[in-house]
Amino acid sequence: METDEQARNRFQSELEFVQCLANPNYLNFLAQRGYLRERPFINYLKYLLYWKEPEYAKFLKYPHCLHMLELLQYEHFRKELVNAQCAKFIDEQQLLHWQHYSRKRTRLQQALAEQQQPQQQVPSHGNVITK
């Protein structure tokens, strides 16, 4: 039986490890050291899929790590990570995504702000009744 402190430590360790999976250079490191070929490690990656559940995913600072965790379930992806060029390509694609996402998010926020501004209504003088 796990104590509360042990459960907290396991949660924190697994959270940190899952988030490290967002780093393609770390994935390349794991692949080059042979970890991604070891059955116990592959089983551990499968076990970590529970982080995709909303009650756990809400703690992630780098949610794209979940996509990498999903890709690590595939042998072909794990084998390709040995190649430094593969890691570099993933790193570049992440950078492009973040740049595009930042610009798109800024545009969406500006459009939303413009929509939320109270529209100044000019009183209509066409219906004025004079005596």
Side-chain angles (χ1 to χ4, degrees):
M1 192 71 170
E2 191 174 54
T3 68
D4 287 344
E5 183 177 346
Q6 289 171 326
R8 224 177 359 265
N9 287 340
R10 182 173 55 83
F11 175 84
Q12 186 175 12
S13 296
E14 290 176 0
L15 171 65
E16 290 176 13
F17 177 74
V18 167
Q19 293 195 114
C20 286
L21 299 179
N23 183 338
N25 295 308
Y26 180 62
L27 297 179
N28 176 253
F29 169 85
L30 292 174
Q32 288 184 350
R33 303 297 181 288
Y35 290 105
L36 299 182
R37 290 188 307 263
E38 296 176 1
R39 180 53 48 193
F41 193 79
I42 294 167
N43 291 340
Y44 182 62
L45 292 171
K46 186 173 183 175
Y47 156 77
L48 292 172
L49 287 171
Y50 77 87
W51 282 96
K52 293 176 73 175
E53 299 298 322
E55 64 266 25
Y56 295 100
K58 68 183 179 185
F59 294 103
L60 296 171
K61 185 175 180 180
Y62 309 106
H64 61 279
C65 65
L66 295 177
H67 183 65
M68 292 298 163
L69 178 60
E70 185 67 37
L71 290 173
L72 285 166
Q73 304 304 310
Y74 298 97
E75 182 180 6
H76 179 72
F77 182 72
R78 293 191 306 266
K79 285 181 178 180
E80 288 297 320
L81 285 170
V82 173
N83 184 348
Q85 285 302 108
C86 177
K88 184 178 184 216
F89 176 77
I90 294 169
D91 193 39
E92 290 169 352
Q93 293 304 305
Q94 283 181 335
L95 182 60
L96 289 172
H97 170 74
W98 291 331
Q99 289 172 340
H100 175 72
Y101 175 79
S102 294
R103 285 191 297 265
K104 185 176 180 181
R105 182 176 173 148
T106 300
R107 285 193 302 264
L108 289 173
Q109 288 175 332
Q110 288 172 344
L112 182 61
E114 289 171 5
Q115 287 176 353
Q116 292 178 345
Q117 287 179 349
Q119 295 187 5
Q120 296 178 355
Q121 295 182 355
V122 178
S124 173
H125 296 289
N127 296 331
V128 176
I129 301 175
T130 58
K131 289 188 181 186

